[in-house]
Amino acid sequence: MSNVEKNTSQNEKSKSLEDIFEAKIARDEKIEPKDWMPEKYRKTHIRQISQHAHSEIVGMLPEGNWISRAPSLRRKVALLAKVQDEAGHGLYLYSACETLGISREEMYEQLHSGKAKYSSIFNYPTLTWADMGAIGWLVDGAAIINQVPLCSTSFGPYARAMVRVCKEESFHQRQGYEIMMTLCNGTQEQKDMAQDALNRWWWPSLMMLGPTDDESIHTEQSMKWKLKRKTNDELRQQFIDQTVPQADILGLKIPDEDLKYNNDTGHYDFGKIDWDEFWQVVKGHGPCNKERLKARNEAWDNGAWVRDAAVAYAEKHTDDESIRKAI
Amino acid sequence: MTNENLIHYIHSIADNSLILGQRLSELCGHGPTLETDIAMTNIALDLFGQTRSYFQYAAELSNEDLTEDDIAFLRKERDYKNVLLVEQPNTDFAYIIVRQYFFDVYHYLLLKQLENSKNVNLQNIAKKSLKEVAYHRRFSGDWLKRLGDGTEESHERVQKAINDLWVYTDELFHMNEDDKIVANAGFGVDNSSLKDEYYQIISDLIKQATLEVPEIQYFQKGGKKGIHTEHMGYILSEMQYMQLAYPNMKW
Amino acid sequence: MKKNWPLWEVFVRSKNGLEHRHFGSLHAPDAEMAINNARDVYTRRNEGVSIWVVESKNIKASNPEHNGEMFEPAADKAYRHPTFYELPDDVEHM
C-alpha cells in the first residue's frame, strides 16, 4: 500500500469514527474519558474546563479579601463556606479535566504563567462589604445561568462535576442577595453602599456572559458538543430579564439609562456594553490582573516545600500499618 | 460565683476559637494545595461555630441586651482573653501547623473535662466541639509528622516553628481569677490539671516526627489578662473594621 | 525534588445499607492524607459515613473499543428478565 493510500484509509477510518462520535452526542449519549474522541474535542474541553477551574480558584481571591472583615459571625461563616466551595469546585473541575490526560500541575503552570484565561470579572477589586452582596447576587447569578445548561453537556466528567457544582452553589446567590437586602433595608449610608456596588459590578457581570455572538469564535462548534446550549447574547438577555425585577425589589437603580422593558419582545432592551474595556481586561490590563496572578503564584510557590515534604514522608513510610484495609 | 465570672470564663474560652479562626481564615485561597486549603477552612469554620455557641450563651447570661456579634466585635483589646499562642501570625505552613497542633491538643483535653461541667450549656457545647477538635488534632498531628520526617528543609522549618512557639504553651494552663472561681464551682475546668498529660502527648509526637523537644524554660504570658502581643491590635482593627467605620448598623 | 502528589479516587458510603459510590478524585501524598482530604472535600455537607480511597493508577479498566464484544452480546438475552415469561393474568405477584 502506498503512503497516499494508507493516509486515505486512515482518514476514512477516523472520519467514520467521527461520524459515530457526533451521532452519539446528537443522541444525547455521554462521552467518557477513554472513549474515542476527535483531538479537537479533547483540546476544546481541556481549554474550557481548565478555564472554568481557574475561574473558581482566582474567584476565591476578591471575596477572600473580605473574610477577615466580615461584619458579623453569621456573615463570616457564610462567606468563608462560600469561598471554600469555590476551592472545592475548582478541585472538581481540575479532576474532570485530568481525565483528558492533562495534569493539574500542567494546568496550574498555564494559569501561573499567564497563558491560560479565567473569567475577567475577578480582575475587578472588592472595595466595600456591599461588593460581597453584589458578587453573590450578580456574578453568581450570571455563573448559574452559564452553568446550569452544562449539567447536560456531552462530556461525562464535566457534566457530573457541574451537577455537583450547581447543587452546592444554590446558596451562593441567595447569600449575596440577602446581604444586598439587609443593606437596602438599612441606613442611607448602607443603601448608597449597595447602589455603588451595583454600579460597579453591573456592566462587568453582563460582560461575563461572553462577547457578542458575532464576535464569539467558538459558539457553533460548542453548541454541537453541548458545551453551550444558548448563545452568549441569549444568556445575557436571560440574565438581564431575571435580574431587573430583583433590583426593583431592592429599590436599587440599574446603571443603564437605556434599560427599558420592550412590550413587543417581552424582554428588556439595554444600553451599549463597553467591549473595549472587556478586551482590555482580557488582555491583562484590568485593575487587579497582576495582583490575582501574583497571589496564585505565591500560594503555589510558598507551598512547594510543603508538598515536597509530604511526598518524601510518603516514600519513607510506604508500609504504614495504621491505615485500615477497605475489605 | 457570679454571672460575671461565668461570662468572663466563657469569653476566654471562646476568644481562643475566635482569634485562631480569624488567623486561619486569612489563609483561605492561599494554601499549599487546594485540598489543604479546603481542610484548613473547615477547621476555621468549626472554630467560628464554637465561638458563636459560646457567645450566644454568654449573651443570654448577660443583663444587657447583647448579641453574639456585640461580644465578638465590640470589645476593646484588653477585654479579649485569648492566649498569645492563637494570635501568632501565619509565618509559614510550619508555624501554622505547629500553632494548630499546640492548641488542638490543649483544646481537646480542655473539652474532655468541660464535658463534665455542672453547667448543661457548657456540657453540650463541649460535647459537640470535642468531635470537631478530635479531627483538628488528627489533621495537625498528621501534618506535623510529615513536616518533621519529610525533607531536610521541612524538618528545619518545623523545628524552628516548634522552638519559637514553645514559649506560648505554658500560658494555656494559667488560670485568671474568673477561671479559678468558675472551676471551683464545678462549671469550669482546672487547666493546671491538664498540663502533664499535655506535655506528654506533644513531646511524644514531636519525637515521633524525628524532632526535638525544646528545653526552653522561660515562657510568655499575658493574653489571659488581656495583655497581648503587638499582633493583636492588627487582628482586631481588621476584624472590627466595619464596626469602627460604620458604627451601630445591622449587616 | 518536585514530585507531584498522585491522584486518588474517592468512594463514599452515604449511609449504612448503601454501597460505596464513586464521588470524584483528589490529590494526596499518601493514603492517610487522601482519606483526610476526602473527608474535607467530599463530605463537608454531611454526605458520608465511610470513605474508601484508591490511587487512580491502581484501577484497571475495560477498553471502550471492545465494547461491542464485551457488552452487546448481553443485549439480546431477554430470557434473563422476568418480562420474558408469560403468566396468566390471575397470577398477580410472581
Side-chain angles (χ1 to χ4, degrees), chain B residues 9-24 47-48 50-51 54-55 75 80-87 103 106-107 110 171-172 191 223-224 228 232:
Chain B
Y9 180 70
I10 295 169
H11 287 180
S12 74
I13 298 182
D15 285 343
N16 285 336
S17 296
L18 173 64
I19 301 301
L20 186 55
Q22 185 74 6
R23 274 298 189 213
L24 287 174
L47 291 171
F48 286 133
Q50 295 164 12
T51 306
Y54 286 122
F55 284 167
R75 285 176 295 153
Y80 289 83
K81 297 290 161 59
N82 56 279
V83 292
L84 301 180
L85 175 68
V86 296
E87 65 198 53
F103 181 71
Y106 157 76
H107 200 186
L110 173 86
E171 191 193 12
L172 292 164
N191 281 0
K224 298 223 52 153
H228 292 276
M232 190 66 177

mmCIF file of all heavy atoms in Angstrom, chain B residues 9-24 47-48 50-51 54-55 75 80-87 103 106-107 110 171-172 191 223-224 228 232:
data_model
loop_
_atom_site.group_PDB
_atom_site.id
_atom_site.type_symbol
_atom_site.label_atom_id
_atom_site.label_comp_id
_atom_site.label_asym_id
_atom_site.label_seq_id
_atom_site.Cartn_x
_atom_site.Cartn_y
_atom_site.Cartn_z
ATOM 1 N N TYR B 9 -15.453 33.761 81.930
ATOM 2 C CA TYR B 9 -14.865 32.447 81.655
ATOM 3 C C TYR B 9 -15.209 31.992 80.229
ATOM 4 O O TYR B 9 -14.351 31.539 79.475
ATOM 5 C CB TYR B 9 -15.377 31.421 82.677
ATOM 6 C CG TYR B 9 -14.819 30.038 82.463
ATOM 7 C CD1 TYR B 9 -13.477 29.774 82.713
ATOM 8 C CD2 TYR B 9 -15.617 29.000 81.994
ATOM 9 C CE1 TYR B 9 -12.941 28.511 82.506
ATOM 10 C CE2 TYR B 9 -15.099 27.734 81.784
ATOM 11 C CZ TYR B 9 -13.757 27.490 82.038
ATOM 12 O OH TYR B 9 -13.240 26.231 81.828
ATOM 13 N N ILE B 10 -16.479 32.168 79.887
ATOM 14 C CA ILE B 10 -16.917 31.772 78.540
ATOM 15 C C ILE B 10 -16.184 32.596 77.479
ATOM 16 O O ILE B 10 -15.719 32.071 76.468
ATOM 17 C CB ILE B 10 -18.447 31.936 78.405
ATOM 18 C CG1 ILE B 10 -19.149 30.957 79.353
ATOM 19 C CG2 ILE B 10 -18.899 31.711 76.975
ATOM 20 C CD1 ILE B 10 -20.632 31.201 79.501
ATOM 21 N N HIS B 11 -16.070 33.900 77.719
ATOM 22 C CA HIS B 11 -15.325 34.742 76.764
ATOM 23 C C HIS B 11 -13.933 34.190 76.534
ATOM 24 O O HIS B 11 -13.454 34.123 75.402
ATOM 25 C CB HIS B 11 -15.188 36.178 77.292
ATOM 26 C CG HIS B 11 -16.460 36.945 77.238
ATOM 27 N ND1 HIS B 11 -16.549 38.254 77.656
ATOM 28 C CD2 HIS B 11 -17.714 36.612 76.834
ATOM 29 C CE1 HIS B 11 -17.796 38.684 77.506
ATOM 30 N NE2 HIS B 11 -18.520 37.706 77.012
ATOM 31 N N SER B 12 -13.266 33.834 77.627
ATOM 32 C CA SER B 12 -11.858 33.475 77.466
ATOM 33 C C SER B 12 -11.707 32.176 76.683
ATOM 34 O O SER B 12 -10.768 32.020 75.910
ATOM 35 C CB SER B 12 -11.146 33.402 78.818
ATOM 36 O OG SER B 12 -11.532 32.232 79.495
ATOM 37 N N ILE B 13 -12.653 31.243 76.836
ATOM 38 C CA ILE B 13 -12.590 30.018 76.019
ATOM 39 C C ILE B 13 -12.893 30.360 74.568
ATOM 40 O O ILE B 13 -12.195 29.943 73.642
ATOM 41 C CB ILE B 13 -13.623 28.972 76.507
ATOM 42 C CG1 ILE B 13 -13.316 28.555 77.937
ATOM 43 C CG2 ILE B 13 -13.606 27.758 75.592
ATOM 44 C CD1 ILE B 13 -14.275 27.493 78.448
ATOM 45 N N ALA B 14 -13.953 31.145 74.374
ATOM 46 C CA ALA B 14 -14.409 31.440 73.014
ATOM 47 C C ALA B 14 -13.409 32.316 72.264
ATOM 48 O O ALA B 14 -13.249 32.173 71.052
ATOM 49 C CB ALA B 14 -15.771 32.114 73.061
ATOM 50 N N ASP B 15 -12.750 33.224 72.973
ATOM 51 C CA ASP B 15 -11.794 34.110 72.292
ATOM 52 C C ASP B 15 -10.668 33.316 71.624
ATOM 53 O O ASP B 15 -10.181 33.709 70.563
ATOM 54 C CB ASP B 15 -11.209 35.125 73.282
ATOM 55 C CG ASP B 15 -12.213 36.223 73.618
ATOM 56 O OD1 ASP B 15 -13.198 36.370 72.864
ATOM 57 O OD2 ASP B 15 -12.024 36.930 74.635
ATOM 58 N N ASN B 16 -10.268 32.210 72.244
ATOM 59 C CA ASN B 16 -9.251 31.368 71.603
ATOM 60 C C ASN B 16 -9.736 30.879 70.241
ATOM 61 O O ASN B 16 -9.011 30.933 69.251
ATOM 62 C CB ASN B 16 -8.921 30.158 72.480
ATOM 63 C CG ASN B 16 -8.063 30.523 73.679
ATOM 64 O OD1 ASN B 16 -7.353 31.525 73.650
ATOM 65 N ND2 ASN B 16 -8.135 29.719 74.722
ATOM 66 N N SER B 17 -10.980 30.394 70.213
ATOM 67 C CA SER B 17 -11.527 29.893 68.955
ATOM 68 C C SER B 17 -11.690 31.017 67.942
ATOM 69 O O SER B 17 -11.399 30.857 66.755
ATOM 70 C CB SER B 17 -12.887 29.222 69.191
ATOM 71 O OG SER B 17 -12.731 28.083 70.007
ATOM 72 N N LEU B 18 -12.154 32.158 68.427
ATOM 73 C CA LEU B 18 -12.393 33.293 67.528
ATOM 74 C C LEU B 18 -11.098 33.770 66.869
ATOM 75 O O LEU B 18 -11.030 33.935 65.646
ATOM 76 C CB LEU B 18 -13.041 34.438 68.313
ATOM 77 C CG LEU B 18 -13.225 35.764 67.575
ATOM 78 C CD1 LEU B 18 -14.187 35.621 66.407
ATOM 79 C CD2 LEU B 18 -13.746 36.854 68.532
ATOM 80 N N ILE B 19 -10.084 33.979 67.687
ATOM 81 C CA ILE B 19 -8.852 34.565 67.136
ATOM 82 C C ILE B 19 -8.095 33.549 66.273
ATOM 83 O O ILE B 19 -7.572 33.896 65.217
ATOM 84 C CB ILE B 19 -7.953 35.118 68.270
ATOM 85 C CG1 ILE B 19 -8.716 36.197 69.063
ATOM 86 C CG2 ILE B 19 -6.649 35.680 67.708
ATOM 87 C CD1 ILE B 19 -9.184 37.395 68.237
ATOM 88 N N LEU B 20 -8.107 32.281 66.689
ATOM 89 C CA LEU B 20 -7.458 31.277 65.839
ATOM 90 C C LEU B 20 -8.232 31.107 64.529
ATOM 91 O O LEU B 20 -7.638 30.974 63.451
ATOM 92 C CB LEU B 20 -7.340 29.934 66.579
ATOM 93 C CG LEU B 20 -6.544 28.850 65.856
ATOM 94 C CD1 LEU B 20 -5.144 29.317 65.491
ATOM 95 C CD2 LEU B 20 -6.467 27.573 66.692
ATOM 96 N N GLY B 21 -9.554 31.143 64.621
ATOM 97 C CA GLY B 21 -10.383 31.076 63.410
ATOM 98 C C GLY B 21 -10.060 32.234 62.480
ATOM 99 O O GLY B 21 -9.945 32.074 61.261
ATOM 100 N N GLN B 22 -9.891 33.406 63.070
ATOM 101 C CA GLN B 22 -9.566 34.593 62.283
ATOM 102 C C GLN B 22 -8.225 34.407 61.567
ATOM 103 O O GLN B 22 -8.093 34.702 60.383
ATOM 104 C CB GLN B 22 -9.534 35.795 63.237
ATOM 105 C CG GLN B 22 -9.317 37.133 62.575
ATOM 106 C CD GLN B 22 -10.550 37.645 61.825
ATOM 107 O OE1 GLN B 22 -11.630 37.058 61.886
ATOM 108 N NE2 GLN B 22 -10.381 38.742 61.111
ATOM 109 N N ARG B 23 -7.252 33.905 62.289
ATOM 110 C CA ARG B 23 -5.937 33.649 61.687
ATOM 111 C C ARG B 23 -6.047 32.645 60.535
ATOM 112 O O ARG B 23 -5.475 32.835 59.461
ATOM 113 C CB ARG B 23 -4.970 33.093 62.739
ATOM 114 C CG ARG B 23 -4.229 34.139 63.557
ATOM 115 C CD ARG B 23 -3.351 34.999 62.688
ATOM 116 N NE ARG B 23 -2.477 35.857 63.470
ATOM 117 C CZ ARG B 23 -2.100 37.080 63.081
ATOM 118 N NH1 ARG B 23 -2.537 37.578 61.934
ATOM 119 N NH2 ARG B 23 -1.282 37.788 63.828
ATOM 120 N N LEU B 24 -6.783 31.552 60.770
ATOM 121 C CA LEU B 24 -6.891 30.522 59.736
ATOM 122 C C LEU B 24 -7.639 31.035 58.517
ATOM 123 O O LEU B 24 -7.329 30.684 57.383
ATOM 124 C CB LEU B 24 -7.613 29.284 60.291
ATOM 125 C CG LEU B 24 -6.826 28.424 61.264
ATOM 126 C CD1 LEU B 24 -7.722 27.332 61.837
ATOM 127 C CD2 LEU B 24 -5.612 27.800 60.581
ATOM 128 N N LEU B 47 -14.250 26.387 64.314
ATOM 129 C CA LEU B 47 -13.898 27.288 65.417
ATOM 130 C C LEU B 47 -14.889 28.456 65.502
ATOM 131 O O LEU B 47 -15.297 28.847 66.598
ATOM 132 C CB LEU B 47 -12.463 27.798 65.243
ATOM 133 C CG LEU B 47 -11.369 26.735 65.431
ATOM 134 C CD1 LEU B 47 -9.998 27.264 65.029
ATOM 135 C CD2 LEU B 47 -11.323 26.242 66.883
ATOM 136 N N PHE B 48 -15.276 28.998 64.374
ATOM 137 C CA PHE B 48 -16.265 30.083 64.408
ATOM 138 C C PHE B 48 -17.622 29.571 64.909
ATOM 139 O O PHE B 48 -18.341 30.281 65.608
ATOM 140 C CB PHE B 48 -16.421 30.730 63.031
ATOM 141 C CG PHE B 48 -15.258 31.604 62.635
ATOM 142 C CD1 PHE B 48 -14.682 31.501 61.382
ATOM 143 C CD2 PHE B 48 -14.739 32.548 63.523
ATOM 144 C CE1 PHE B 48 -13.605 32.307 61.013
ATOM 145 C CE2 PHE B 48 -13.658 33.353 63.166
ATOM 146 C CZ PHE B 48 -13.096 33.235 61.907
ATOM 147 N N GLN B 50 -18.078 27.197 67.058
ATOM 148 C CA GLN B 50 -17.964 27.086 68.522
ATOM 149 C C GLN B 50 -18.064 28.471 69.163
ATOM 150 O O GLN B 50 -18.756 28.650 70.173
ATOM 151 C CB GLN B 50 -16.630 26.439 68.901
ATOM 152 C CG GLN B 50 -16.509 24.999 68.431
ATOM 153 C CD GLN B 50 -15.065 24.503 68.460
ATOM 154 O OE1 GLN B 50 -14.184 25.148 69.025
ATOM 155 N NE2 GLN B 50 -14.815 23.351 67.852
ATOM 156 N N THR B 51 -17.361 29.423 68.569
ATOM 157 C CA THR B 51 -17.393 30.792 69.086
ATOM 158 C C THR B 51 -18.825 31.290 69.188
ATOM 159 O O THR B 51 -19.227 31.890 70.195
ATOM 160 C CB THR B 51 -16.610 31.731 68.129
ATOM 161 O OG1 THR B 51 -15.307 31.198 67.933
ATOM 162 C CG2 THR B 51 -16.510 33.128 68.699
ATOM 163 N N TYR B 54 -20.749 29.718 72.141
ATOM 164 C CA TYR B 54 -20.338 30.289 73.430
ATOM 165 C C TYR B 54 -20.888 31.710 73.592
ATOM 166 O O TYR B 54 -21.423 32.065 74.640
ATOM 167 C CB TYR B 54 -18.808 30.354 73.524
ATOM 168 C CG TYR B 54 -18.110 29.022 73.741
ATOM 169 C CD1 TYR B 54 -17.165 28.559 72.840
ATOM 170 C CD2 TYR B 54 -18.368 28.256 74.883
ATOM 171 C CE1 TYR B 54 -16.493 27.357 73.040
ATOM 172 C CE2 TYR B 54 -17.697 27.051 75.093
ATOM 173 C CZ TYR B 54 -16.764 26.608 74.162
ATOM 174 O OH TYR B 54 -16.102 25.422 74.374
ATOM 175 N N PHE B 55 -20.716 32.527 72.556
ATOM 176 C CA PHE B 55 -21.137 33.928 72.683
ATOM 177 C C PHE B 55 -22.658 34.052 72.772
ATOM 178 O O PHE B 55 -23.177 34.939 73.452
ATOM 179 C CB PHE B 55 -20.591 34.771 71.519
ATOM 180 C CG PHE B 55 -19.122 35.096 71.649
ATOM 181 C CD1 PHE B 55 -18.414 35.603 70.563
ATOM 182 C CD2 PHE B 55 -18.445 34.921 72.848
ATOM 183 C CE1 PHE B 55 -17.056 35.909 70.678
ATOM 184 C CE2 PHE B 55 -17.090 35.217 72.969
ATOM 185 C CZ PHE B 55 -16.399 35.711 71.878
ATOM 186 N N ARG B 75 -15.687 44.663 71.704
ATOM 187 C CA ARG B 75 -14.864 44.824 72.900
ATOM 188 C C ARG B 75 -13.527 45.484 72.560
ATOM 189 O O ARG B 75 -13.094 45.502 71.418
ATOM 190 C CB ARG B 75 -14.636 43.458 73.562
ATOM 191 C CG ARG B 75 -15.862 42.945 74.306
ATOM 192 C CD ARG B 75 -15.630 41.555 74.866
ATOM 193 N NE ARG B 75 -15.443 40.575 73.793
ATOM 194 C CZ ARG B 75 -14.757 39.451 73.913
ATOM 195 N NH1 ARG B 75 -14.163 39.160 75.064
ATOM 196 N NH2 ARG B 75 -14.654 38.628 72.901
ATOM 197 N N TYR B 80 -10.329 41.053 75.398
ATOM 198 C CA TYR B 80 -10.158 39.738 74.767
ATOM 199 C C TYR B 80 -9.161 38.946 75.612
ATOM 200 O O TYR B 80 -8.078 39.430 75.912
ATOM 201 C CB TYR B 80 -9.641 39.882 73.334
ATOM 202 C CG TYR B 80 -10.680 40.433 72.371
ATOM 203 C CD1 TYR B 80 -10.899 41.800 72.261
ATOM 204 C CD2 TYR B 80 -11.454 39.576 71.597
ATOM 205 C CE1 TYR B 80 -11.859 42.300 71.389
ATOM 206 C CE2 TYR B 80 -12.414 40.063 70.722
ATOM 207 C CZ TYR B 80 -12.609 41.434 70.619
ATOM 208 O OH TYR B 80 -13.545 41.937 69.767
ATOM 209 N N LYS B 81 -9.547 37.718 75.987
ATOM 210 C CA LYS B 81 -8.735 36.958 76.927
ATOM 211 C C LYS B 81 -8.115 35.713 76.295
ATOM 212 O O LYS B 81 -7.797 34.753 76.984
ATOM 213 C CB LYS B 81 -9.587 36.577 78.153
ATOM 214 C CG LYS B 81 -10.092 37.788 78.935
ATOM 215 C CD LYS B 81 -8.946 38.490 79.664
ATOM 216 C CE LYS B 81 -9.265 39.926 80.065
ATOM 217 N NZ LYS B 81 -10.406 40.086 80.946
ATOM 218 N N ASN B 82 -7.971 35.735 74.985
ATOM 219 C CA ASN B 82 -7.329 34.592 74.327
ATOM 220 C C ASN B 82 -5.850 34.509 74.691
ATOM 221 O O ASN B 82 -5.218 35.519 74.996
ATOM 222 C CB ASN B 82 -7.457 34.712 72.805
ATOM 223 C CG ASN B 82 -6.887 36.013 72.278
ATOM 224 O OD1 ASN B 82 -7.558 37.036 72.341
ATOM 225 N ND2 ASN B 82 -5.652 35.965 71.784
ATOM 226 N N VAL B 83 -5.318 33.285 74.601
ATOM 227 C CA VAL B 83 -3.895 33.095 74.867
ATOM 228 C C VAL B 83 -3.074 33.660 73.707
ATOM 229 O O VAL B 83 -3.561 33.773 72.580
ATOM 230 C CB VAL B 83 -3.554 31.602 75.060
ATOM 231 C CG1 VAL B 83 -4.179 31.074 76.342
ATOM 232 C CG2 VAL B 83 -4.019 30.773 73.863
ATOM 233 N N LEU B 84 -1.819 33.978 74.000
ATOM 234 C CA LEU B 84 -0.951 34.594 72.989
ATOM 235 C C LEU B 84 -0.699 33.662 71.799
ATOM 236 O O LEU B 84 -0.509 34.111 70.679
ATOM 237 C CB LEU B 84 0.390 34.986 73.624
ATOM 238 C CG LEU B 84 0.312 35.964 74.808
ATOM 239 C CD1 LEU B 84 1.722 36.262 75.329
ATOM 240 C CD2 LEU B 84 -0.392 37.266 74.419
ATOM 241 N N LEU B 85 -0.711 32.347 72.075
ATOM 242 C CA LEU B 85 -0.415 31.373 71.022
ATOM 243 C C LEU B 85 -1.282 31.588 69.783
ATOM 244 O O LEU B 85 -0.782 31.607 68.658
ATOM 245 C CB LEU B 85 -0.621 29.947 71.565
ATOM 246 C CG LEU B 85 -0.457 28.817 70.547
ATOM 247 C CD1 LEU B 85 0.992 28.689 70.095
ATOM 248 C CD2 LEU B 85 -0.941 27.484 71.130
ATOM 249 N N VAL B 86 -2.589 31.773 69.994
ATOM 250 C CA VAL B 86 -3.504 31.772 68.843
ATOM 251 C C VAL B 86 -3.407 33.045 68.002
ATOM 252 O O VAL B 86 -3.870 33.081 66.873
ATOM 253 C CB VAL B 86 -4.976 31.529 69.268
ATOM 254 C CG1 VAL B 86 -5.129 30.145 69.889
ATOM 255 C CG2 VAL B 86 -5.471 32.611 70.225
ATOM 256 N N GLU B 87 -2.819 34.099 68.566
ATOM 257 C CA GLU B 87 -2.713 35.325 67.773
ATOM 258 C C GLU B 87 -1.413 35.398 66.970
ATOM 259 O O GLU B 87 -1.197 36.340 66.220
ATOM 260 C CB GLU B 87 -2.877 36.558 68.677
ATOM 261 C CG GLU B 87 -1.782 36.741 69.713
ATOM 262 C CD GLU B 87 -2.191 37.676 70.856
ATOM 263 O OE1 GLU B 87 -3.260 37.429 71.473
ATOM 264 O OE2 GLU B 87 -1.458 38.638 71.144
ATOM 265 N N PHE B 103 -2.282 24.090 69.993
ATOM 266 C CA PHE B 103 -3.585 24.482 70.518
ATOM 267 C C PHE B 103 -4.560 23.301 70.539
ATOM 268 O O PHE B 103 -5.293 23.116 71.509
ATOM 269 C CB PHE B 103 -4.186 25.633 69.703
ATOM 270 C CG PHE B 103 -5.517 26.066 70.244
ATOM 271 C CD1 PHE B 103 -5.601 26.760 71.457
ATOM 272 C CD2 PHE B 103 -6.697 25.753 69.590
ATOM 273 C CE1 PHE B 103 -6.835 27.128 71.989
ATOM 274 C CE2 PHE B 103 -7.930 26.123 70.125
ATOM 275 C CZ PHE B 103 -7.998 26.812 71.321
ATOM 276 N N TYR B 106 -4.294 20.919 73.564
ATOM 277 C CA TYR B 106 -4.840 21.596 74.745
ATOM 278 C C TYR B 106 -6.370 21.658 74.665
ATOM 279 O O TYR B 106 -7.083 21.320 75.621
ATOM 280 C CB TYR B 106 -4.264 23.011 74.861
ATOM 281 C CG TYR B 106 -5.137 23.942 75.666
ATOM 282 C CD1 TYR B 106 -5.172 23.857 77.064
ATOM 283 C CD2 TYR B 106 -5.968 24.869 75.039
ATOM 284 C CE1 TYR B 106 -6.004 24.687 77.801
ATOM 285 C CE2 TYR B 106 -6.799 25.695 75.768
ATOM 286 C CZ TYR B 106 -6.818 25.600 77.148
ATOM 287 O OH TYR B 106 -7.649 26.406 77.872
ATOM 288 N N HIS B 107 -6.851 22.072 73.518
ATOM 289 C CA HIS B 107 -8.286 22.254 73.306
ATOM 290 C C HIS B 107 -9.027 20.940 73.547
ATOM 291 O O HIS B 107 -10.087 20.904 74.182
ATOM 292 C CB HIS B 107 -8.493 22.737 71.862
ATOM 293 C CG HIS B 107 -9.801 23.416 71.628
ATOM 294 N ND1 HIS B 107 -10.219 23.811 70.389
ATOM 295 C CD2 HIS B 107 -10.806 23.774 72.467
ATOM 296 C CE1 HIS B 107 -11.412 24.376 70.475
ATOM 297 N NE2 HIS B 107 -11.786 24.369 71.719
ATOM 298 N N LEU B 110 -9.055 20.099 77.258
ATOM 299 C CA LEU B 110 -9.972 21.012 77.936
ATOM 300 C C LEU B 110 -11.426 20.573 77.740
ATOM 301 O O LEU B 110 -12.200 20.465 78.697
ATOM 302 C CB LEU B 110 -9.789 22.429 77.384
ATOM 303 C CG LEU B 110 -10.810 23.453 77.893
ATOM 304 C CD1 LEU B 110 -10.348 24.050 79.221
ATOM 305 C CD2 LEU B 110 -11.062 24.559 76.879
ATOM 306 N N GLU B 171 1.246 29.206 78.925
ATOM 307 C CA GLU B 171 0.108 30.068 79.255
ATOM 308 C C GLU B 171 -1.235 29.346 79.131
ATOM 309 O O GLU B 171 -2.225 29.718 79.759
ATOM 310 C CB GLU B 171 0.109 31.309 78.344
ATOM 311 C CG GLU B 171 -0.869 32.362 78.820
ATOM 312 C CD GLU B 171 -1.118 33.460 77.785
ATOM 313 O OE1 GLU B 171 -0.719 33.308 76.621
ATOM 314 O OE2 GLU B 171 -1.721 34.471 78.161
ATOM 315 N N LEU B 172 -1.261 28.297 78.301
ATOM 316 C CA LEU B 172 -2.503 27.544 78.130
ATOM 317 C C LEU B 172 -3.045 27.055 79.469
ATOM 318 O O LEU B 172 -4.246 26.846 79.637
ATOM 319 C CB LEU B 172 -2.254 26.337 77.209
ATOM 320 C CG LEU B 172 -1.932 26.645 75.741
ATOM 321 C CD1 LEU B 172 -1.323 25.428 75.058
ATOM 322 C CD2 LEU B 172 -3.191 27.100 75.007
ATOM 323 N N ASN B 191 -7.393 24.151 84.539
ATOM 324 C CA ASN B 191 -6.435 23.972 83.449
ATOM 325 C C ASN B 191 -5.115 23.374 83.901
ATOM 326 O O ASN B 191 -4.475 22.642 83.145
ATOM 327 C CB ASN B 191 -6.125 25.321 82.792
ATOM 328 C CG ASN B 191 -7.220 25.740 81.846
ATOM 329 O OD1 ASN B 191 -8.200 25.018 81.694
ATOM 330 N ND2 ASN B 191 -7.061 26.891 81.227
ATOM 331 N N GLY B 223 -1.952 37.093 77.630
ATOM 332 C CA GLY B 223 -3.245 37.079 76.939
ATOM 333 C C GLY B 223 -4.426 36.869 77.872
ATOM 334 O O GLY B 223 -5.458 37.513 77.735
ATOM 335 N N LYS B 224 -4.230 35.977 78.832
ATOM 336 C CA LYS B 224 -5.333 35.675 79.750
ATOM 337 C C LYS B 224 -5.688 36.858 80.644
ATOM 338 O O LYS B 224 -6.719 36.872 81.302
ATOM 339 C CB LYS B 224 -4.986 34.454 80.607
ATOM 340 C CG LYS B 224 -4.772 33.220 79.747
ATOM 341 C CD LYS B 224 -5.406 31.992 80.321
ATOM 342 C CE LYS B 224 -6.855 32.202 80.666
ATOM 343 N NZ LYS B 224 -7.648 30.989 80.635
ATOM 344 N N HIS B 228 -1.742 41.607 75.352
ATOM 345 C CA HIS B 228 -1.473 40.787 74.170
ATOM 346 C C HIS B 228 -0.136 41.117 73.517
ATOM 347 O O HIS B 228 0.572 42.017 73.951
ATOM 348 C CB HIS B 228 -2.616 40.950 73.176
ATOM 349 C CG HIS B 228 -3.895 40.362 73.679
ATOM 350 N ND1 HIS B 228 -4.194 39.033 73.559
ATOM 351 C CD2 HIS B 228 -4.946 40.929 74.337
ATOM 352 C CE1 HIS B 228 -5.377 38.802 74.112
ATOM 353 N NE2 HIS B 228 -5.851 39.932 74.602
ATOM 354 N N MET B 232 -2.026 41.655 68.081
ATOM 355 C CA MET B 232 -3.458 41.648 68.395
ATOM 356 C C MET B 232 -4.172 42.899 67.889
ATOM 357 O O MET B 232 -5.304 42.829 67.409
ATOM 358 C CB MET B 232 -3.634 41.490 69.914
ATOM 359 C CG MET B 232 -5.048 41.237 70.342
ATOM 360 S SD MET B 232 -5.674 39.631 69.771
ATOM 361 C CE MET B 232 -7.299 39.679 70.546
#
